[in-house]
Amino acid sequence: MTKRQGDPPVRRAVVSGSTFEERIGYARAVVDGDRVHVSGTTGFDYASMTIPEGVVDQAEQCLRNIGAALAAAGCTFADVVRVRYLLPAREDFEPCWPVLREAFGRVRPAATMMVCGLADERMRIEIEVDARRGPVAAGAGPGLRIEPVDGDAMVEEWRHVHNVIVPPAAMTPDEARERSGRNRLANAYLGDVLVGCSTVRPPGDGERVATVIARVLPAYRGRGIGTALYEEGLAHARVLGASVVETVVLAANADGLRFAGARGFVETERYVLDGERDEWVDLRLAGRPDDSPGAPS
């Protein structure tokens, strides 16, 4: 498999902090191209390394642990294609069905249940999944949602994505709240997982220039999420009457510059703010906003 510049890493490990992973020598999950393999996961709370007694409670904790691993790998339960259930006692399986159906009922992955011994006698269920990260079409895909920021919780989510993507311009909570009062902010979610955000700075007087910025967390790039965010932001800029659309990208963000260039943005200026060392790039969309290309990312 040939790795193109800007693609997700061909292979990387996801660790959860479980002491078992360190002592035995394995990862909670492995991302291999577009495939994600989650190790057999039990009902331990890895923060406290405690485990509940009941099998249903353990199953719920298994799924929380798996959900966290999938999110770190850039996907959700909607991407799961295979699940394996391992239990020491076959009679423990049926009580878990409602919990398992809630996680997988709409996805319908291939599944196998096996009766076998587990590594610790306290463990009553172990779950292993395989997932495949597929493309997410604009406005569609497995649960992609783009929602205007409303309330402090969503502002904080927007701030998190902003600060991950542009750490030199990291905002405080107060700065993010102030930004939400004068710009149109939105967050993108896959299911309930935060994956990106956008900013639309309304046009002012004169040239009617609006700024549209789409940001996607690194683990979720290459799936069309940036395109969906950008097109949704561009549509809002049109509603606001923008005659010109600009964007701004940190020069070190090669993915962001490629994304803007593929959508018809042309560099207009590079600069370093007073007292800083990081270089920024201003770009302007060639032609009117109505004529912008919708090339896939």
Side-chain angles (χ1 to χ4, degrees), residues 70-90:
L70 290 171
C75 54
T76 71
F77 282 107
D79 298 303
V80 172
V81 297
R82 157 69 74 174
V83 58
R84 299 175 182 86
Y85 305 109
L86 293 79
L87 296 93
R90 61 172 51 87

Side-chain angles (χ1 to χ4, degrees), residues 146 149 157-167 169 171 179 183-189 194-201 211-218 220-221 225-230 247-250 253 256 259 280:
I146 299 175
V149 167
E157 290 178 322
W158 181 92
R159 185 177 78 94
H160 168 73
V161 177
H162 174 277
N163 290 356
V164 168
I165 304 303
V166 284
M171 293 185 187
R179 190 67 57 92
N183 295 336
R184 193 264 194 176
L185 311 182
N187 291 337
Y189 306 88
L194 177 70
V195 297
C197 75
S198 67
T199 300
V200 178
R201 187 181 304 152
T211 301
V212 177
I213 303 172
R215 308 177 187 90
V216 179
L217 292 171
Y220 298 91
R221 292 176 182 169
I225 297 169
T227 296
L229 276 166
Y230 164 69
T247 193
V248 58
V249 181
L250 187 65
N253 182 0
F259 180 89
W280 298 87

Side-chain angles (χ1 to χ4, degrees), residues 29-188:
V30 172
V31 181
D32 187 10
D34 63 353
R35 298 182 183 275
V36 178
H37 307 279
V38 180
S39 295
T41 301
T42 62
F44 272 90
D45 179 335
Y46 298 136
S48 61
M49 288 308 295
T50 58
I51 188 169
E53 290 185 8
V55 66
V56 175
D57 290 337
Q58 288 193 22
E60 290 175 340
Q61 184 63 50
C62 286
L63 295 172
R64 284 193 288 271
N65 295 339
I66 290 169
L70 290 171
C75 54
T76 71
F77 282 107
D79 298 303
V80 172
V81 297
R82 157 69 74 174
V83 58
R84 299 175 182 86
Y85 305 109
L86 293 79
L87 296 93
R90 61 172 51 87
E91 61 269 21
D92 276 349
F93 189 43
E94 188 170 350
C96 297
W97 288 359
V99 172
L100 305 177
R101 185 171 61 247
E102 186 173 344
F104 300 113
R106 286 174 293 179
V107 184
R108 298 296 180 95
T112 302
M113 182 273 193
M114 293 177 281
V115 176
C116 61
L118 299 181
D120 187 313
E121 64 181 11
R122 292 173 294 175
M123 300 172 179
R124 297 180 63 179
I125 185 171
E126 183 170 321
I127 303 174
E128 171 187 317
V129 307
D130 296 318
R132 184 169 183 175
R133 304 191 300 178
V136 178
L144 178 63
R145 298 182 287 117
I146 299 175
E147 298 185 0
V149 167
D150 181 20
D152 287 347
M154 291 187 73
V155 169
E156 184 59 24
E157 290 178 322
W158 181 92
R159 185 177 78 94
H160 168 73
V161 177
H162 174 277
N163 290 356
V164 168
I165 304 303
V166 284
M171 293 185 187
T172 66
D174 286 343
E175 289 171 332
R177 282 192 290 270
E178 186 275 334
R179 190 67 57 92
S180 70
R182 57 186 173 90
N183 295 336
R184 193 264 194 176
L185 311 182
N187 291 337

